[in-house]
Amino acid sequence: MNYRTLGPGRLRVSAVGLGCMGMSHAYGAPADKREMKNLLADAVDMGYTLFDTAEVYGTPQNPHDNEELLGEVLKPLRDHVVIATKFGISFDRPDEPGTHKLIPCSRPKAIRRSVEDSLRRLHTDRIDIYYQHRIDPDVQPEEVAEVMADLIREGKILHWGISEATEEYLRRAHRVCPVTAVQNRYSMMARHHERLFHVLEELGIGFVAFSPLANGVLTTCYTADSRFDAATDYRASMPQFRKESFELNRKLFALLDRLAEDHHATPSQIALAWMLCKRPWIVPIPGTRHLCRLKENIGAADIALTKEEVCNIDEELDNMKMSEVFGGSPVKKAI
């Protein structure tokens, strides 16, 4: 495994991390616990060190399923892994099917309560990187950063980050307590956060890419006939999985297939290698429930695309017609 460093504090992580949300949340009914425990153990054996979760990844019956799963499996391996979790949102009407509106809350008391609960569920005395899951418009970035600085001084967290950060919010927060990483949606189909790259370069902040395979569509393993359970699987409502989207994305899939053949790789590996080769401080965290995908994803770190190849890919993407892609659940203001 190759490794990368994130942020001013130089947090060392595997070049490809593991997004664990889908084991418990949003991609169908929760996976078999025994299988996921074995998968997590296999990931550690392969060299994965970055494991990403959040306090809200679960089900209505067990809202914190994912943290509990990771806590149980990673406890004996604690000194060999980097655990990332998140605070700051709850779901509006979590019992209803489909995607849920997000209710942000980053009040200091709420953060304090969240960190203690996450530490308990994760069976650990510290969280390696603690993300603000979404920006709370009612709480100033300086106030959140001050709480993070206090938690770092207390040893409860070692680093912190922000998910879906804007440039202004990031700069203001970073001035109070240095930010280690921004975690934003990023893939060949969702490139709007590239406008942050110059700021991250300037401040020395890492970029952790979630949904780097556009929720799986860039694996090219799905077709217009693929179907998902609308009650438990967010993909049922994602625009890139609509029947007509597969025709719209035909050129994108052809590009991936061509590059995969050229590099003796898979389309997934090309989609990940493309972002890995853009900047040395980008770390994708694809999720999976399958051992074969775990092996495939980690192999992307061994694929070297030249700067010219990356620029050419970007140019093709810039001029390519493609479908809409899921941009995230809407945020609802707390009442």
Side-chain angles (χ1 to χ4, degrees):
M1 169 58 82
N2 299 314
Y3 295 88
R4 298 193 163 196
T5 55
L6 301 175
R10 299 190 63 77
L11 177 64
R12 187 172 185 264
V13 299
S14 51
V16 178
L18 179 58
C20 300
M21 180 186 76
M23 298 176 182
S24 307
H25 176 80
Y27 286 82
D32 180 82
K33 282 287 194 299
R34 181 177 298 178
E35 291 179 4
M36 293 304 97
K37 290 174 182 177
N38 290 337
L39 188 70
L40 288 165
D42 287 336
V44 176
D45 288 342
M46 286 181 205
Y48 282 89
T49 65
L50 177 58
F51 294 83
D52 185 89
T53 183
E55 64 176 347
V56 294
Y57 294 162
T59 67
Q61 295 74 33
N62 187 3
H64 311 296
D65 181 86
N66 205 239
E67 279 192 336
E68 292 173 0
L69 172 66
L70 265 64
E72 182 178 349
V73 177
L74 299 180
K75 182 179 180 181
L77 305 165
R78 185 63 188 93
D79 293 334
H80 304 286
V81 298
V82 172
I83 296 177
T85 192
K86 311 178 194 73
F87 68 90
I89 62 169
S90 59
F91 293 126
D92 179 43
R93 301 180 180 178
D95 293 329
E96 294 186 358
T99 57
H100 311 298
K101 292 182 180 179
L102 308 179
I103 302 174
C105 177
S106 290
R107 296 189 302 272
K109 286 185 178 179
I111 297 173
R112 284 280 181 181
R113 183 170 58 250
S114 288
V115 75
E116 296 296 341
D117 289 344
S118 288
L119 286 167
R120 174 177 50 79
R121 288 189 292 265
L122 290 165
H123 297 289
T124 185
D125 61 352
R126 81 278 186 192
I127 294 165
D128 296 291
I129 180 163
Y130 200 39
Y131 289 106
Q132 183 182 18
H133 209 154
R134 290 292 183 274
I135 291 172
D136 183 344
D138 294 328
V139 181
Q140 298 301 309
E142 292 84 0
E143 189 173 5
V144 176
E146 285 170 2
V147 178
M148 296 299 107
D150 288 341
L151 293 176
I152 290 171
R153 281 192 290 268
E154 294 165 18
K156 293 180 178 178
I157 70 172
L158 303 185
H159 304 267
W160 83 290
I162 307 168
S163 187
E164 300 291 353
T166 63
E167 178 177 348
E168 179 189 2
Y169 192 96
L170 178 62
R171 287 187 182 278
R172 289 172 60 185
H174 187 75
R175 280 195 288 267
V176 175
C177 182
V179 175
T180 290
V182 165
Q183 186 183 126
N184 285 359
R185 183 182 306 278
Y186 185 51
S187 72
M188 285 183 167
M189 296 184 75
R191 298 171 57 206
H192 48 284
H193 287 303
E194 287 182 350
R195 60 177 175 260
L196 271 180
F197 283 5
H198 74 285
V199 182
L200 301 178
E201 193 88 60
E202 173 193 338
L203 300 178
I205 296 171
F207 186 89
V208 175
F210 74 84
S211 299
L213 299 174
N215 307 102
V217 78
L218 295 180
T219 65
T220 71
C221 292
Y222 298 96
T223 71
D225 296 322
S226 298
R227 294 291 178 267
F228 307 99
D229 181 359
T232 59
D233 199 317
Y234 285 12
R235 287 172 294 185
S237 61
M238 290 181 179
Q240 68 266 37
F241 289 100
R242 293 173 187 153
K243 192 177 184 71
E244 63 271 20
S245 293
F246 287 87
E247 177 59 27
L248 288 171
N249 294 326
R250 182 171 50 82
K251 289 185 178 179
L252 174 59
F253 298 150
L255 170 65
L256 286 167
D257 287 338
R258 187 186 79 233
L259 292 167
E261 184 175 355
D262 290 345
H263 289 273
H264 306 289
T266 67
S268 294
Q269 289 175 329
I270 293 298
L272 296 174
W274 162 79
M275 63 177 66
L276 285 166
C277 294
K278 271 181 171 283
R279 300 289 194 281
W281 35 261
I282 294 178
V283 176
I285 51 168
T288 187
R289 298 181 174 191
H290 304 289
L291 181 60
C292 62
R293 294 293 181 202
L294 201 65
K295 294 177 180 177
E296 180 182 3
N297 292 340
I298 206 170
D302 296 322
I303 298 171
L305 302 176
T306 66
K307 288 184 178 180
E308 183 180 7
E309 285 180 300
V310 172
C311 288
N312 289 339
I313 292 169
D314 285 350
E315 185 175 359
E316 288 199 58
L317 294 174
D318 287 340
N319 294 286
M320 184 181 293
K321 183 177 180 180
M322 62 180 73
S323 75
E324 292 180 77
V325 64
F326 182 64
S329 300
V331 175
K332 176 181 177 181
K333 184 177 175 62
I335 298 175

